[in-house]
Amino acid sequence: MKTLVEKAPVFPGGTSVTRLSVYADQAPDGVAGGTPHLHTASTEAYVVLSGRGAIQTISPEGFRETTLEPGSVVWFTPGTIHRAVNHGDLEILVIMSNAGLPEAGDAVMTFPEDIVSDPEAYRVNAALPPADSPESVLSAAAARRRDLGVDGFLALKAAADTGPQAFEVALDRFYSAASAVVTPLTGTWREVWEKSAGRAASETDQVLSALVTGSQEHLWQAALEQAPATRANQRFGMCGRLQTYNTR
């Protein structure tokens, strides 16, 4: 009789998934969508489920706008500043590497330089009211935060339009400020990573080593896990309303 080991499987690749309904209200520049931001440690992917829109990005290569439509799949690495733009009913499945790190604060919004360069001012402006606040209060706070992010995003875009030298200086200043914002949070990040992507990679390494020897013992740990789909845990995020799944 085989001894079965209780071992909850890690979601494929140690990733996390979130359903995103991109904000449809307009920022001061007349564009509807979310808060521009970057991730300092994680790669993010968009799989478009419905609706249409675009993703505006700023990276060392400059500004770029990529069309999003049902079936589109795009992904972007740490340091890519991105803004989700909603042209109508845009819904996205977001896949994040390093499950747990994005939730631990690896994102930095593109607030104006005087705010993002002051970590305490950044935290104050990034915070939303308690989740049990009235929806109108949460919505207004999310819009205010988004508009601040757009202000900084447009300043970086203007620098990109000015020329490579001015853009390099502006982007370097923002990257430096973003790093300073997250540095106080990173003490537990390696432990978080080891439980998600690190664990997934380690288990694959063990499986490959076992298969080389002809072992099939790991197959006796076969299991299925489910993250129930529910709207009950929908919350306000940077880019829109989020339906989160517990994949860890």
Side-chain angles (χ1 to χ4, degrees):
M1 177 70 69
K2 293 285 187 181
T3 300
L4 303 185
V5 179
E6 286 286 338
K7 190 175 184 181
V10 173
F11 196 78
T15 60
S16 62
V17 294
T18 304
R19 190 179 182 112
L20 166 66
S21 298
V22 179
Y23 292 131
D25 61 309
Q26 292 186 352
D29 65 342
V31 176
T35 309
H37 63 282
L38 60 71
H39 292 277
T40 55
S42 300
T43 292
E44 182 173 11
Y46 283 177
V47 180
V48 179
L49 302 177
S50 61
R52 281 173 167 71
I55 180 169
Q56 296 179 346
T57 56
I58 295 175
S59 71
E61 296 180 347
F63 174 81
R64 177 179 175 182
E65 180 165 307
T66 303
T67 298
L68 299 178
E69 57 188 16
S72 294
V73 178
V74 299
W75 63 95
F76 33 95
T77 58
T80 304
I81 299 165
H82 50 284
R83 179 189 190 187
V85 175
N86 190 349
H87 291 161
D89 303 320
L90 184 60
E91 292 228 348
I92 294 169
L93 186 69
V94 178
I95 303 172
M96 293 291 309
S97 67
N98 307 322
L101 291 190
E103 296 81 356
D106 96 319
V108 177
M109 290 170 273
T110 55
F111 292 159
E113 187 174 0
D114 62 323
I115 296 176
V116 77
S117 62
D118 180 343
E120 181 56 31
Y122 177 87
R123 281 187 281 274
V124 169
N125 284 278
L128 292 178
D132 59 356
S133 300
E135 176 139 341
S136 60
V137 173
L138 289 166
S139 179
R144 176 197 58 78
R145 184 175 71 174
R146 186 272 314 275
D147 294 350
L148 273 178
V150 169
D151 286 345
F153 181 84
L154 294 177
L156 287 169
K157 182 178 181 298
D161 293 339
T162 299
Q165 186 171 2
F167 177 54
E168 182 176 341
V169 170
L171 189 60
D172 183 66
R173 290 170 69 92
F174 179 73
Y175 281 169
S176 296
S179 178
V181 166
V182 302
T183 293
L185 307 175
T186 59
T188 61
W189 282 13
R190 182 166 294 277
E191 180 182 351
V192 171
W193 173 80
E194 287 172 348
K195 292 178 179 178
S196 59
R199 175 182 159 188
S202 176
E203 289 180 351
T204 299
D205 178 63
Q206 293 172 31
V207 165
L208 294 177
S209 296
L211 289 172
V212 166
T213 67
S215 172
Q216 38 72 43
E217 288 298 311
H218 63 282
L219 300 179
W220 287 91
Q221 296 176 6
L224 179 143
E225 289 287 318
Q226 183 176 14
T230 173
R231 293 284 175 174
N233 56 351
Q234 193 177 88
R235 61 184 177 83
F236 285 86
M238 286 181 287
C239 292
R241 299 294 296 269
L242 305 177
Q243 179 188 347
T244 58
Y245 300 84
N246 182 11
T247 58
R248 298 188 301 283

